[in-house]
Amino acid sequence: MNFDLNKSIALLKRTPPALETLLNDLDEDWLYGQEGENTWSPYVVMGHLIHSEKTNWIPRLEIILSSREEMTFGAFDRFAQLNDYKDQTINELTAEFKARRNKSIEALQAKNLNAEDFSKTAFHPQLGAVNLKQLLATWTVHDLTHMAQIVRVMAKQYTAEVGPWKQNLSILRDRS
Amino acid sequence: MNFDLNKSIALLKRTPPALETLLNDLDEDWLYGQEGENTWSPYVVMGHLIHSEKTNWIPRLEIILSSREEMTFGAFDRFAQLNDYKDQTINELTAEFKARRNKSIEALQAKNLNAEDFSKTAFHPQLGAVNLKQLLATWTVHDLTHMAQIVRVMAKQYTAEVGPWKQNLSILRDRS
C-alpha cells in the first residue's frame, strides 16, 4: 500500500475514539497492569500518545516544511509521560488525546500538502535524513503500534488464568 | 490479576464498539491488506470473531455446565469465516459481532455463575481438561489477541512507507 494522506488521516482520526471506547471507565487492574518491570501500562501508553501529539508529529512536520537552515529534529523525551501524566483519570487522558489529535489533523489539513512537500526532508538525530511522507506514515504506524501494545499488556494480565489455552495464545509470549 | 467475571465482561462489552470505531467505513486498502500469503486481513479477523461468537464461547460454556456424560467440546473450524463472511460490508460485520456479543453477555449473566461453577471442567480435544474460569479468561484474551492482530496487519501495510523509522517500529517485524 502506497502512502496516501487521506487514508492516513482516516486512521489517525479513528484511533483516539477507539481507545476511548476501549479504555474509558475500565477497572484499574486492566489500566495499570504491566508486562514486566519498567514496562508501560495502558495508562502510561496513553500519556505517551499525548506527549507525542504535543511534541512530535506536527512540530516535526513544521521543521520539515520550514526553510530554516538547521532542519534537525529536537530530542524527543520517550519518558515524559511518566512525570506529566500520572494524576489524571483515564477518561481525562483519552479526552485530551482526542482533542489534541483533532487539532493536529486540522493543522495537517490546513497545510494543503502537495507531492513536492511529501519529499521534503529533515534530519532525525538517530536516523538521518527522513522525508515528510515517511513522517506521516510513521505517525499512523505509531498509533497502531501503541494500540497493539495496550491490548497485549491487557491480555497478559490473564496469562495465568487461561490455563492450558496459553499455548494457543501467542500474544501472551510476545515481548517476553 | 485474578480472573474476575465483571472485569472480563467489562472488556468483552468494549471490544465490539472499539472495533466498530476503528474499522467502519475504512478504506479497503486497510481492511483487506494481509501480512503474507494465507494470513488474515482485518476483514477476515472480523469474520473469525463472529464465527467464534456463534460456535465457541457460549456453546462451550453450556457444555461445561451441562451434566451430559460426554463433555468434550466439538471441533472448532478456524477457517469458517473464509466461506461464511466474504460478501458483507465491514460495517455489517462489526454490527453483527456487536449484536452477537451483546446476546452472549446476556446469556452469560443469566447463568448467575458462582465459585463452584468456575471450577467445573470439560475436555478440549487438543488441550485436555479445562475449566469454566479458563474458558472465560480465554474468551477475553482472544478478543485482545485479534485486536492486536488487526492493528498489526494494518501497520504492516505501511512497512515500506515509514523509511528509516522501520528500525524503531518493532510491530513491523512481528510474526514475520
Side-chain angles (χ1 to χ4, degrees):
Chain A
M1 172 177 174
N2 292 322
F3 174 78
D4 180 287
L5 182 61
N6 290 327
K7 290 176 192 172
S8 293
I9 289 174
L11 254 188
L12 291 170
K13 269 187 184 166
R14 281 166 169 80
T15 42
L19 286 169
E20 192 175 57
T21 305
L22 186 67
L23 300 178
N24 274 17
D25 303 313
L26 203 57
D27 191 275
E28 295 192 350
D29 282 351
W30 291 122
L31 298 172
Y32 294 104
Q34 295 173 284
E35 55 182 343
E37 217 181 330
N38 295 321
T39 63
W40 295 357
S41 66
Y43 182 93
V44 168
V45 174
M46 283 308 307
H48 171 71
L49 287 168
I50 295 169
H51 182 70
S52 303
E53 209 64 26
K54 280 162 72 172
T55 67
N56 194 336
W57 311 112
I58 294 295
R60 286 182 168 185
L61 174 143
E62 299 281 6
I63 289 172
I64 293 177
L65 292 177
S66 74
S67 47
R68 274 180 269 162
E69 288 265 318
E70 180 52 86
M71 296 199 297
T72 300
F73 299 147
F76 176 74
D77 182 354
R78 287 184 60 243
F79 301 99
Q81 66 275 3
L82 300 177
N83 292 314
D84 295 351
Y85 298 97
K86 54 188 182 188
D87 301 320
Q88 296 88 338
T89 65
I90 190 71
N91 295 17
E92 286 169 340
L93 293 188
T94 57
E96 180 170 349
F97 179 47
K98 190 163 74 169
R100 287 189 182 274
R101 172 57 56 85
N102 288 340
K103 281 183 66 176
S104 298
I105 292 173
E106 279 175 34
L108 175 61
Q109 288 175 321
K111 298 290 179 193
N112 289 313
L113 298 170
N114 58 43
E116 199 190 321
D117 292 324
F118 289 130
S119 56
K120 288 181 178 166
T121 59
F123 289 91
H124 185 288
Q126 283 83 45
L127 302 175
V130 289
N131 68 30
L132 182 57
K133 181 188 81 170
Q134 292 162 346
L135 177 74
L136 297 173
T138 298
W139 187 3
T140 316
V141 173
H142 184 265
D143 267 22
L144 296 168
T145 292
H146 287 296
M147 284 193 75
Q149 181 182 19
I150 284 171
V151 296
R152 183 183 75 239
V153 174
M154 291 203 289
K156 286 188 180 177
Q157 305 316 308
Y158 263 179
T159 302
E161 302 301 279
V162 300
W165 267 290
K166 185 175 174 188
Q167 62 183 278
N168 291 358
L169 295 163
S170 55
I171 194 173
L172 299 176
R173 295 182 294 275
D174 280 353
R175 303 283 186 285
S176 61
Chain B
M1 173 178 173
N2 292 323
F3 174 77
D4 180 287
L5 182 62
N6 290 327
K7 290 176 191 171
S8 293
I9 289 174
L11 254 188
L12 291 170
K13 270 187 184 167
R14 281 166 168 80
T15 41
L19 286 168
E20 190 175 59
T21 305
L22 186 67
L23 301 178
N24 274 15
D25 302 312
L26 204 57
D27 192 275
E28 294 190 352
D29 282 352
W30 292 122
L31 297 173
Y32 296 103
Q34 295 173 283
E35 56 182 343
E37 216 179 330
N38 295 323
T39 64
W40 295 357
S41 66
Y43 182 92
V44 169
V45 174
M46 283 308 308
H48 170 72
L49 287 168
I50 295 169
H51 182 70
S52 302
E53 209 63 26
K54 281 161 71 173
T55 67
N56 195 337
W57 310 112
I58 294 295
R60 286 182 170 185
L61 173 142
E62 300 282 7
I63 289 171
I64 292 177
L65 293 178
S66 73
S67 45
R68 274 181 269 163
E69 288 266 318
E70 180 53 87
M71 296 199 296
T72 300
F73 298 149
F76 177 72
D77 183 355
R78 288 184 61 243
F79 302 99
Q81 65 275 3
L82 300 176
N83 292 315
D84 295 350
Y85 297 97
K86 56 189 183 187
D87 301 321
Q88 296 88 337
T89 66
I90 189 72
N91 295 17
E92 286 168 341
L93 293 189
T94 56
E96 180 170 350
F97 179 47
K98 192 163 73 172
R100 287 187 182 275
R101 173 59 54 86
N102 288 340
K103 280 181 67 176
S104 299
I105 292 173
E106 277 174 35
L108 176 61
Q109 289 175 322
K111 298 289 179 193
N112 289 313
L113 298 170
N114 59 42
E116 198 192 322
D117 292 324
F118 290 131
S119 56
K120 288 181 179 164
T121 59
F123 289 91
H124 184 289
Q126 283 82 45
L127 302 174
V130 290
N131 67 31
L132 182 57
K133 182 187 81 170
Q134 292 163 344
L135 177 74
L136 296 173
T138 299
W139 187 4
T140 317
V141 173
H142 184 265
D143 268 20
L144 297 168
T145 292
H146 287 296
M147 284 194 75
Q149 180 181 21
I150 284 171
V151 296
R152 182 183 77 237
V153 174
M154 292 204 288
K156 287 188 179 177
Q157 307 315 309
Y158 263 180
T159 301
E161 302 301 281
V162 301
W165 268 289
K166 185 176 173 185
Q167 62 184 277
N168 292 358
L169 296 163
S170 55
I171 194 174
L172 301 176
R173 294 184 293 278
D174 281 352
R175 303 283 188 284
S176 62

